[in-house]
Amino acid sequence: MRERRREDASTWRGPVRRYDILKEATIAIVVVLVLTVSLAVLFSSPDVAPVTLQAWASAQPKGFTEIALRELEDTSTSATYGPPYNHGTGFLQQFYGVSIQHAIGVTDPIDPARAFVLDPLDTVTGQPRLTSALDRYAAAPRATRTAWLHSYGKAIAAARLAGPSLEVPSAHYGPVGEMLGAFLGMARSGGLDAELVEHAPFYVTNYTNPILFLGDSAVAQPNSYWNEIVSAQHLQGTQWGMMNETGSWPGQPWLWLYTMWYQVEPMRTSHNGDLEVIVIMTVLSLGLVFVPFIPGLRDLPRMVPIHRLVWKSYYRTRRQETPGTTNGPAEPT
Amino acid sequence: MLAAIFDLNSPDHYLHWGFILISLANFLVVIAMLVLFVLALTVPFVHDRRRHRSVGPGSQGHTRALSTETSESVTPVGPSHARADLGDPFGSEHALWTTRLRRLWLRWLPPEKLLPDSQPAYVASWIYVFGVLTLAGLVVAIASGAVLALEGPIWWHESSVGLFVNSLHMWSVECFMAFMAIHLWGKFWMASWRGKRALTWMTGAVAFLVSVFEAFTGYLSQTNFDSQWIAFESKDAMNGAGLGAFFNTMNFGQALMLHIVFVPLVLVAIVGIHIVMVRLRGVSHPIEAHPEHLEPAGTNGTGAVSTRSSGLEGSGGTAPHLAESIVDATGAQL
Ligand code: HEM
């Protein structure tokens, strides 16, 4: 073993050949440039426009309003998520009792009822009925609000679309009907898209709120507007979506192993699936980095004769040149 | 602002002379600069008498530089260029950091190793091409990305030239990742980590992992349907692992900055180490190479080819003794 290691580290005293490293690098760059330009000319690249809250609210006003209602009820995915947004447990993951997510805690506090619905509504001016509805809602005790939201939830099941607005049968839902009606109108006009972005209304670079809000529909409603587009493009997690790209372009095939773990038990159905996959991939990545030190794995290439193909010509000439060698290791045959 | 000891939010004082109008804060900065300038010109400089040397008129090179005061620790100066570069004109005991670095550099990675003109004849397979192809892929990806960066993140949605540059960027990345994977498979089946080349393998593997993350931040920075969905889907994995506190996939500004500044710097540094390690160690020998073709690692401890070929035609069939004589003729200086 040690002998072999010394040989591997020794200086090469065998045949050499001329080699122009700069020429090689130049040719490689030209080859890749030609290849890239050809592919770009032939196939261009994908650019599907982002989904807007406006498009969602216009396509599915009822589904949209139901998600807004859940935000007010604090029952949406975002509201119950857990760290780093709040103290819920909906997406709190742990591995054999260890949860770094829990240990680090809430670093980006988000109150969806306020951030997604009430704050945007508060910015609306010139609608006295909405303003008084919001005042009434704010002044009401918690139990009253809950009762209003509950009866709105029942009423909306029988809602009908009437022109641009949703017709919800009247019931004892207090100001909630006025509020959510205005909220739908705001979304359909496009005003909500601008309002939800953090640091709005100027220099916006953080889209956490609109994506979380939109995402609440993706989790709660299998046939939500967003889900339907995503599924059609084969981007769902259950469709090995992590590897895929919109249209027929190649995506990130190098994520095949990562997304594969989500398709098998126990990760497929586990509440801690994400963390389990991360742990597996961390171990495998460390394995890749430390291949040279892992017995068995590092010996595999010696046993599988793929290297014979690589050094075909060397082994051939070696055999011809040194027929009588006795003290070397066995000839590869 | 909030955490400051002095709150500067109040309106500043302004000095007004004739047409000149300057805020007190700016004025103080200028005064401080002028004071530093004057101090730099007038304060006596630290003196180190031991290290003085006199250089004769017209002398340029450091080989002539050894003078009276340091004569007891003079490095003998030979005719070889390598010697001169290795030496410290002030005596090796007091070697400067710079001199030491240069000396180490030249010992471990002399120019003929950094930019070789010969290589072992067994390097005769297309699989060896994929390392340099990966590098070329990275170069084209960085170049096309730089053009996108120059015009800003929204440009490519609105301009057909922008879309084309984006296509170049995307396809160069697909090429880069594909070449890298093939390179990795090849190096695995050649067990190229043998012979003190573990660091070469490890930097390569880390480069792969960092590239995956770089591509991920790139997908997040697209400002389109794809980036929106990927941001939403991937946040759970980040949050579940406790990374969400540091990296919010839905924060486009953060993803973009990671993608175009931080991660590329890390990646290029790692690839740089990888390439230097390849030059330093040379390519690994064939498994079960002939003992006569190998010389135990010793003299320079780097285990690489140290030949400088003089017009050898690369025909794989070169007789070993010929190669040896070339080594003897030129490889001895180390
Ligand atoms: C950014 C990505 C990478 C670049 C630009 C790159 C570039 C190169 C180049 C130019 C060479 C020398 C030519 C050759 O033997 O092919 C090389 C050698 C090598 N690479 Fe990479 N590489 C990358 C990633 C990797 C990865 C992912 C691995 C494996 C995990 C790896 C492992 C190696 C090894 C072990 C060698 C030494 C070759 C030998 O001794 O035969 N590299 N690399």
Side-chain angles (χ1 to χ4, degrees), chain A residues 1-82:
Chain A
M1 194 68 201
R2 179 167 300 156
E3 172 72 12
R4 195 200 269 163
R5 204 174 294 161
R6 222 190 52 218
E7 275 172 10
D8 286 338
S10 66
T11 306
W12 182 250
R13 293 293 186 239
V16 296
R17 58 161 68 226
R18 260 156 59 108
Y19 170 52
D20 193 340
I21 193 171
L22 284 188
K23 194 170 166 189
E24 188 193 33
T26 311
I27 294 175
I29 290 193
V30 171
V31 167
V32 174
L33 263 179
V34 169
L35 194 61
T36 312
V37 171
S38 314
L39 288 165
V41 168
L42 285 175
F43 303 116
S44 189
S45 50
D47 191 17
V48 176
V51 167
T52 58
L53 302 176
Q54 181 178 24
W56 172 29
S58 307
Q60 297 185 338
K62 192 168 155 188
F64 173 88
T65 309
E66 275 165 356
I67 295 300
L69 177 70
R70 283 177 181 239
E71 305 295 359
L72 288 178
E73 286 175 333
D74 283 337
T75 56
S76 71
T77 318
S78 299
T80 53
Y81 191 95

Side-chain angles (χ1 to χ4, degrees), chain B residues 95-179:
Chain B
L96 309 171
W97 291 7
T98 315
T99 322
R100 281 193 210 167
L101 175 68
R102 186 178 63 211
R103 201 184 298 164
L104 268 180
W105 180 309
L106 284 176
R107 188 158 87 222
W108 287 83
L109 202 61
E112 54 271 27
K113 244 195 218 179
L114 187 61
L115 293 175
D117 47 20
S118 78
Q119 69 182 0
Y122 59 75
V123 181
S125 160
W126 288 110
I127 195 66
Y128 281 102
V129 170
F130 282 88
V132 70
L133 278 179
T134 311
L135 192 59
L138 182 60
V139 168
V140 177
I142 289 179
S144 53
V147 178
L148 288 175
L150 279 177
E151 295 289 340
I154 302 302
W155 175 56
W156 72 279
H157 301 295
E158 296 165 348
S159 143
S160 54
V161 180
L163 180 61
F164 180 70
V165 177
N166 181 72
S167 307
L168 289 180
H169 194 55
M170 177 213 154
W171 285 108
S172 62
V173 170
E174 293 287 342
C175 290
F176 166 68
M177 296 298 286
F179 293 154

